[in-house]
Amino acid sequence: MAKKKKEFEQHIFYDWCKACGLCVAFCPREVYGRDELGRPQVVNGEACIGCRFCEYHCPDFAITIKERGASGNGNGMGGER
Amino acid sequence: MSGTGAGRRVLLQGNEAIVEGALAAGCRLFAGYPITPASEISELMSLRLPAVAGTFIQMEDEIASIGAVIGASLAGVKSLTATSGPGFSLMQENLGFACMAEVPCVIVNVMRGGASTGLPTSPAQGDVMQARWGTHGDHPIIVLAVSSVADSFEITVHAFNLAEKYRVPVIILSDEVVAHTRETFVLPGPDQVEVVDRMRPSVPPQWYKPYADNSRGVPAMAAMGDGYRHHVTGLIHDESGFPTQRGDEINALVRRQFRKITNGFFEIQMTRSFMMEGAQVAVIAYGSVARSAKRAVRMAREQGIDAGLLQLVTLFPFPRKDVDQVLRQCKAVIVPEMNMGQISREVKRVNRRCRIITYNRVDGQLITPEEIFEELGG
Amino acid sequence: MERIEQLRHTYLRHDKKFPHVWCPGCGNGIVLGSLIRAIDRLGLTQDEIVLASGIGCAGRMSVYADFNTLHATHGRALTFATGIKLARPELTLIAVMGDGDATGIGGNHFIHAARRNLNMTAIIINNQIYGMTGGQYSPTTPYGAHAATAVFGNLEHAFSIAELAVTAGASFVARGTVYHVPELDRLLEKGIAKNGFSVIEILSNCHTQFGRRNQMGDPVTMMRWLKEHAVPAVKAGDLAPESIEGKFTIGVLVDREKPDYLKEYERVRAEARQKAAEAKP
């Protein structure tokens, strides 16, 4: 039986986000677009594979990747909206 | 002579007495860099400290030496460095950090002929104003001067106690003569020495404010590793230790750091009078020159001249009260110094009507009793 | 709660203003995140960690992290750390400095701390410029690059921080970048765990001061430069020299055993005690 594809939520804490563009530019699945202020905006959430590149590279701790359905024991970084 | 006996008479060199005084006061770390005429302090510390569970380290320069001293004090260990003019100049920036972060520590400056390389093996007193104002900005500091081997022990203990009590660096000014002269004196036993430790916080960690004001203006000090995690910085900071640019907080910090010294003025101010009763002419001197002055005053008295000596042990904060009293009592005051006139400027600053006679010797030789005796009209 | 939330909640100081002061996209924030993950994985308690930092952009890191923190004078963080380590050997000492802070004004202390090999970790964030003060060239600014004080192109040649540390005697030396973050986590973890002087040089981006004057004016461009110019140290040996021209190696460069300074000093204490006992009348 094919393993059910994991799904992830991308939480961006806009109070801390400085719209540096790193997450948008380096996301391997192009999950993020940029809004009118240049801030990351989830445009393709389903494509996310939970690699947490954005979480690890966000200089401002503003991104949290949550595995949908998991009990929140993700091995990367989490965050509140 | 090693090991602190219980009240035994010992023959020690000035530099060695500083080491014994530091150990008696609870100093358990020394970081220094070789320099004439202070190296004996490092050498004896490298022998004595490890024997009392302390730590000696020779650093790569004087900047690193005082850096290590500050670090050790922040970790709760009383620490000392010793140097001379050139090294003392290098230490100034970190000395300023110790003033700003209110880190108790003791810095010995065995003065030699200056400026620059100057006269490495000759006594001088040319670093007095540097000891007060060497580091930049308004800062509190205490400067003491030792004149004998017994002084070198007693004043070093006093220096550590003041550093701990007021959370301030204390400079001990010695000079090549005091440092290298051997004298006998009674070395008190450990239980005969009063040792003061910094005030530790009484509140639990989550309420601890490392720079909170109180009646004395001296905040309680937690050591790194005690569970009182806090921030220490050279930036102007608020009561919780974090940098601030708010005018009211800047004002509060700077003025508290001055107030804590003026609060303790009468305890910090230390002078010694000799034959001042009925004196009409007085000598105000410090360090090794005070020894010559003592002899000169005795010679003058034998000639029927009403002379007296006020020896300054505390140079800064300047002992204004005791000096003022001498200036009022006497018609003339002589200020002999092995520099071009430094403490004499402070005496003139507080003087009203007394005649001030400066006597300045800068040729690398000690001022002799005869020279002072002559100034006294002998 | 997600692990990052737990990390953020535990290790970032709650009473400090976030977002932090560094420019949008600055690598310093990435290093702080990596450092926190490394410390968390090592299971060290916050009370046993001392984070000392120097002066400069990297120097502002200590104020944000909930450890025993110290913001020392410019170039002198390692000397303060030496004093703390000697006074309280059980503490874990970590010093964070910039390239100018550690190898410019602090160069003398850096090579001697490496030579002395006291157990502490030096994290040097190398963004090849003096950022805080406005983009003056530093000891690692490349030859020919532009800076606020090298308007006509830098005529000085950079030295390499990691290789300098190896020569000076550090027992663990590694180089990482703010692009290769999972590896950086591992390097920091190894360096902190190592008993001896550990140096982790971290190539980072200063697009505001360095990038802007050298055709790399935004964080993404500089991050790509870091990605494309890094060569794993293990592979560098069998690559053609010209193919790694102008590139740098990342990974562990040296991991060797050297006597523990404080264990050696324990021997000194024993001998000194014995000598003092003999001398007593």
Side-chain angles (χ1 to χ4, degrees), chain A residues 15-16 18 20-22 25-26 52-53 56-57 59-61 63-67 72 74-80, chain C residues 1-5 8 12 18-20 22 24-26 29-30 32-33 37 178-179 181-182 185 219-220 223-224:
Chain A
D15 285 5
W16 285 8
K18 292 176 184 162
C20 71
L22 283 176
F26 286 100
R52 298 183 192 279
F53 188 102
Y56 276 40
H57 284 80
D60 287 282
F61 303 90
I63 299 181
T64 308
I65 300 300
K66 290 195 176 181
E67 193 176 334
N75 59 13
M77 296 191 178
E80 62 290 339
Chain C
M1 189 194 313
E2 277 296 325
R3 186 158 173 270
I4 170 142
E5 292 166 307
R8 183 187 296 140
L12 298 183
F18 281 84
H20 51 57
W22 296 310
C26 169
I30 299 172
L32 176 56
R37 283 192 300 275
V178 289
Y179 176 79
V181 174
D185 285 12
V220 172
M223 201 59 96
R224 279 213 182 89

Side-chain angles (χ1 to χ4, degrees), chain B residues 96-260:
Chain B
F97 182 96
C99 297
M100 171 60 74
E102 301 178 81
V103 183
C105 57
V106 176
I107 296 95
V108 177
N109 175 7
V110 184
M111 293 185 286
R112 75 193 209 179
S116 184
T117 313
L119 294 164
T121 57
S122 301
Q125 298 180 315
D127 309 352
V128 167
M129 284 301 173
Q130 178 183 28
R132 175 65 186 91
W133 295 111
T135 196
H136 58 282
D138 292 310
H139 58 276
I141 203 159
I142 296 175
V143 180
L144 309 176
V146 292
S147 64
S148 68
V149 174
D151 250 11
S152 297
F153 179 89
E154 182 202 336
I155 302 303
T156 298
V157 173
H158 189 51
F160 271 95
N161 290 344
L162 288 177
E164 291 287 313
K165 189 168 184 182
Y166 292 93
R167 281 192 68 170
V168 70
V170 176
I171 313 293
I172 298 175
L173 293 179
S174 177
D175 65 54
E176 187 279 324
V177 166
V178 177
H180 290 155
T181 301
R182 280 183 193 285
E183 292 179 285
T184 56
F185 75 106
V186 177
L187 185 72
D191 43 16
Q192 297 163 301
V193 174
E194 190 222 356
V195 173
V196 172
D197 291 320
R198 64 197 67 175
M199 193 170 64
R200 306 267 174 184
S202 49
V203 297
Q206 58 272 31
W207 295 344
Y208 176 55
K209 283 200 164 157
Y211 295 97
D213 196 353
N214 53 38
S215 59
R216 286 187 54 243
V218 182
M221 184 173 183
M224 288 192 168
D226 278 359
Y228 283 79
R229 294 194 304 275
H230 63 278
H231 187 60
V232 176
T233 179
L235 286 165
I236 293 260
H237 42 272
D238 58 25
E239 290 208 334
S240 56
F242 291 113
T244 181
Q245 289 179 306
R246 275 177 39 181
D248 56 340
E249 289 174 333
I250 298 166
N251 218 10
L253 177 75
V254 175
R255 290 177 190 276
R256 174 180 64 73
Q257 289 186 346
F258 272 72
R259 193 184 87 235
K260 74 179 179 183

Side-chain angles (χ1 to χ4, degrees), chain C residues 22-40:
Chain C
W22 296 310
C23 302
C26 169
N28 286 348
I30 299 172
V31 172
L32 176 56
S34 187
L35 177 61
I36 288 173
R37 283 192 300 275
I39 286 170
D40 190 66

Side-chain angles (χ1 to χ4, degrees), chain C residues 179-257:
Chain C
Y179 176 79
H180 307 83
V181 174
E183 176 169 0
L184 181 59
D185 285 12
R186 279 196 305 281
L187 293 177
L188 289 177
E189 213 180 306
K190 268 188 169 173
I192 295 168
K194 175 77 178 181
N195 180 8
F197 190 75
S198 313
V199 174
I200 298 108
E201 175 191 1
I202 306 174
L203 269 297
S204 178
N205 57 308
C206 176
H207 43 283
T208 305
Q209 299 296 356
F210 179 75
R212 211 155 32 99
R213 295 186 174 89
N214 295 285
Q215 297 76 43
M216 291 191 281
D218 67 284
V220 172
T221 310
M222 285 211 79
M223 201 59 96
R224 279 213 182 89
W225 185 89
L226 289 172
K227 177 186 175 192
E228 285 143 15
H229 286 76
V231 173
V234 287
K235 293 210 191 72
D238 43 40
L239 288 173
E242 61 285 354
S243 74
I244 53 171
E245 184 59 42
K247 298 192 175 178
F248 53 85
T249 55
I250 58 172
V252 176
L253 304 183
V254 109
D255 184 354
R256 52 195 170 190
E257 287 314 310

Side-chain angles (χ1 to χ4, degrees), chain B residues 50-51 54-57 60-61 63-64 67-68 70-72 75 77 94 97 224-226 229-234 242, chain C residues 13 46-47 62-63 66 68-71 73 76 79-80 83-84 86-88 108-109 112 116 261 265 269 272-273 279:
Chain B
T55 310
F56 163 85
I57 186 165
E60 53 272 18
D61 55 36
I63 302 168
I70 292 171
V77 171
N94 278 349
F97 182 96
M224 288 192 168
D226 278 359
R229 294 194 304 275
H230 63 278
H231 187 60
V232 176
T233 179
F242 291 113
Chain C
R13 275 199 165 115
Q46 290 168 262
D47 282 339
S62 54
V63 84
D66 187 4
N68 303 285
T69 56
L70 166 67
H71 193 183
T73 44
R76 321 304 176 184
T79 70
F80 285 62
I84 298 170
L86 292 173
R88 302 275 296 247
N108 194 30
H109 309 310
H112 288 282
R116 196 173 291 124
Y261 188 98
Y265 198 78
R269 285 203 180 96
R273 265 194 306 275

